[in-house]
């Protein structure tokens, strides 16, 4: 039983990493006032670009660099549309969702289902991995998980304990006030949107470069939507997003394992569990019946024009 619990917990952390990078990136983007509904499409682009690079070069680190570059370029395009041209953010997000899903399928059609020679393997951290139970769960993972351990606290410190973090929060609350103080509103929004998209692409790479070592069209399986939902669920807090990602990861892994113990229940039922949990969590945490103050940035999705001040 202990072995089973350790296996489930360790797998849940891997699943959490595949959505948490995108969730944290979107938290930064929404804190800056820009909402991106196209996380799923960007994750697919990150997954296919990373896999194709490692498939043709066998260089895993070059693949990760390409993933970051692809995500950054997609973020640059999204920022140009929503910040410079002030296009509707919801429409642009849906366009990126469709664009990313279609283009990734087209690019990767010749390598679908073919395994690459290398991927990010798990490795044990000295000393820490020897701790009973805890070491097996937390410190026998891959590079994406270990980076997640650093990114979550660093994101919280940045947002809540630094001057740039204060500016970021103000950017999503009252950009006009920052503009009056001489803060470069548009440049900052560009930077945070590009950062958010790069993080989202890394989420896709977690799947094709670590969780598996192959590419299949639509292989993210809706994880982008779970990541997007985590933003509101976490109340725009990276720490709560990490807890939410672990919750959904545990539900997903338990669903997979329960097929062994209860084979009579259709596999589709277990497959829907994390998405059903997402809906329930959103209703409980954001429903109007709660009658509590929302932490949603006041200027989220609102176009900012200096001439309208």
């Amino acid at each position: 039983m202990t072995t089973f619990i350790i296996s489930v917990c360790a797998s849940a952390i891997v699943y959490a990493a595949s959505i948490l990078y995108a969730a944290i990136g979107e938290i930064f983007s929404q804190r800056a006032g820009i909402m991106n509904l196209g996380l799923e499409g960007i994750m697919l682009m990150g997954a296919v670009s990373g896999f194709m690079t490692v498939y043709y070069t066998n260089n895993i680190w070059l693949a990760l660099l390409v993933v970051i570059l692809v995500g950054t370029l997609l973020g640059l395009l999204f920022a140009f549309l929503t910040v410079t041209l002030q296009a509707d953010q919801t429409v642009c997000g849906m366009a990126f969702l469709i664009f990313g899903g279609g283009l990734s399928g087209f690019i990767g059609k010749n390598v679908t289902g073919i395994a690459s020679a290398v991927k990010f393997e798990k490795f044990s951290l000295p000393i820490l991995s020897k701790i009973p139970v805890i070491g097996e769960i937390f410190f026998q993972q891959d590079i994406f998980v270990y980076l997640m351990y650093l990114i979550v606290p660093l994101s919280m410190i940045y947002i809540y304990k630094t001057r740039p973090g204060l500016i970021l929060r103000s950017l999503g609350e009252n950009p006009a006030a920052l503009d009056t103080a001489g803060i470069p509103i548009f440049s900052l929004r560009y930077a945070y949107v590009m950062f958010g998209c790069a993080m989202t692409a890394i989420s896709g790479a977690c799947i094709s470069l670590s969780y598996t070592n192959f590419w299949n069209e639509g292989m993210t399986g809706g994880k982008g939507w779970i990541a997007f939902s985590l933003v509101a669920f976490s109340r725009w807090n990276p720490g709560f997003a990490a807890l939410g990602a672990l919750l959904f990861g545990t539900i997903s892994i338990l669903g997979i394992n329960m097929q062994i113990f209860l084979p009579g229940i259709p596999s589709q039922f277990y497959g829907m569990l994390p998405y059903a949990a997402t809906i329930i969590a959103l209703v409980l945490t954001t429903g109007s019946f709660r009658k509590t103050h929302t932490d949603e940035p006041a200027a989220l999705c609102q176009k900012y024009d200096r001439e309208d001040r």
Side-chain angles (χ1 to χ4, degrees), residues 31 162-172 178 183 188 192:
R31 284 281 188 182
T162 67
R163 185 174 183 274
L166 176 62
I167 293 174
L168 170 61
R169 284 179 283 146
S170 301
L171 191 58
L178 288 180
I183 305 295
L188 285 176
Y192 286 119

Side-chain angles (χ1 to χ4, degrees), residues 122-198:
K122 294 183 178 181
F123 61 95
S124 300
L125 291 182
I127 302 176
L128 294 176
S129 61
K130 302 299 183 182
I131 302 174
V133 182
I134 293 177
E136 295 179 70
I137 294 174
F138 292 98
F139 302 114
Q140 295 180 13
Q141 299 285 0
D142 59 53
I143 188 66
F144 288 114
V145 174
Y146 294 136
L147 287 177
M148 183 179 69
Y149 295 159
L150 295 175
I151 289 173
V152 172
L154 288 177
S155 296
M156 295 183 66
I157 292 172
Y158 181 88
I159 292 174
Y160 297 109
K161 299 296 183 180
T162 67
R163 185 174 183 274
L166 176 62
I167 293 174
L168 170 61
R169 284 179 283 146
S170 301
L171 191 58
E173 296 290 342
N174 193 345
L178 288 180
D179 200 9
T180 302
I183 305 295
I185 302 299
F186 300 113
S187 298
L188 285 176
R189 283 189 165 176
Y190 261 82
Y192 286 119
V193 170
M194 291 165 66
F195 171 76
C197 288

Side-chain angles (χ1 to χ4, degrees), residues 6-31:
I6 291 174
S7 175
V8 168
C9 292
S11 299
I13 292 175
V14 174
Y15 184 97
S18 68
I19 60 177
L20 187 55
Y21 282 97
I24 291 179
E26 182 63 9
I27 286 174
F28 275 84
S29 181
Q30 291 195 19
R31 284 281 188 182

Side-chain angles (χ1 to χ4, degrees), residues 41-42 50 62-63 65 92 122 162 232 307:
I42 297 172
L62 176 61
L65 181 62
C92 288
K122 294 183 178 181
T162 67
E307 304 301 324

Side-chain angles (χ1 to χ4, degrees), residues 62-309:
L62 176 61
L64 183 58
L65 181 62
V66 169
V67 168
I68 295 173
L69 178 61
V70 168
T72 302
L73 290 176
L74 288 172
L76 178 63
L77 176 58
F78 191 83
F80 175 73
L81 294 173
T82 56
V83 178
T84 301
L85 300 184
Q86 296 191 359
D88 185 275
Q89 295 175 21
T90 302
V91 174
C92 288
M94 294 305 295
F96 266 61
L97 170 66
I98 299 170
F99 171 76
L103 183 59
S104 63
F106 175 76
I107 293 174
K109 65 180 181 179
N110 292 329
V111 294
T112 299
I114 303 175
S116 63
V118 294
K119 68 172 188 174
F120 282 109
E121 301 287 352
K122 294 183 178 181
F123 61 95
S124 300
L125 291 182
I127 302 176
L128 294 176
S129 61
K130 302 299 183 182
I131 302 174
V133 182
I134 293 177
E136 295 179 70
I137 294 174
F138 292 98
F139 302 114
Q140 295 180 13
Q141 299 285 0
D142 59 53
I143 188 66
F144 288 114
V145 174
Y146 294 136
L147 287 177
M148 183 179 69
Y149 295 159
L150 295 175
I151 289 173
V152 172
L154 288 177
S155 296
M156 295 183 66
I157 292 172
Y158 181 88
I159 292 174
Y160 297 109
K161 299 296 183 180
T162 67
R163 185 174 183 274
L166 176 62
I167 293 174
L168 170 61
R169 284 179 283 146
S170 301
L171 191 58
E173 296 290 342
N174 193 345
L178 288 180
D179 200 9
T180 302
I183 305 295
I185 302 299
F186 300 113
S187 298
L188 285 176
R189 283 189 165 176
Y190 261 82
Y192 286 119
V193 170
M194 291 165 66
F195 171 76
C197 288
M199 291 284 283
T200 302
I202 292 174
S203 268
C206 288
I207 301 172
S208 64
L209 298 181
S210 175
Y211 194 70
T212 66
N213 64 329
F214 60 86
W215 157 259
N216 271 330
E217 186 174 355
M219 70 185 303
T220 51
K223 289 184 176 66
W225 290 110
I226 294 180
F228 183 83
S229 301
L230 269 179
V231 177
F233 171 79
S234 67
R235 302 175 68 175
W236 291 265
N237 184 312
F240 291 149
L243 295 177
L246 287 172
L247 171 64
F248 296 133
T250 302
I251 293 173
S252 298
I253 300 303
L254 282 176
I256 294 172
N257 284 275
M258 287 304 291
Q259 297 181 44
I260 301 174
F261 301 104
L262 298 172
I265 299 177
S267 60
Q268 291 81 358
F269 174 80
Y270 297 114
M272 78 171 188
L273 288 179
Y275 307 101
T278 300
I279 295 173
I280 294 171
L282 280 178
V283 170
L284 293 177
T285 55
T286 64
S288 59
F289 65 88
R290 296 164 56 250
K291 300 186 182 301
T292 57
H293 173 70
T294 177
D295 293 315
E296 176 182 318
L300 181 62
C301 289
Q302 294 182 11
K303 301 174 184 178
Y304 177 70
D305 189 344
R306 183 175 286 122
E307 304 301 324
D308 291 338
R309 286 189 302 161

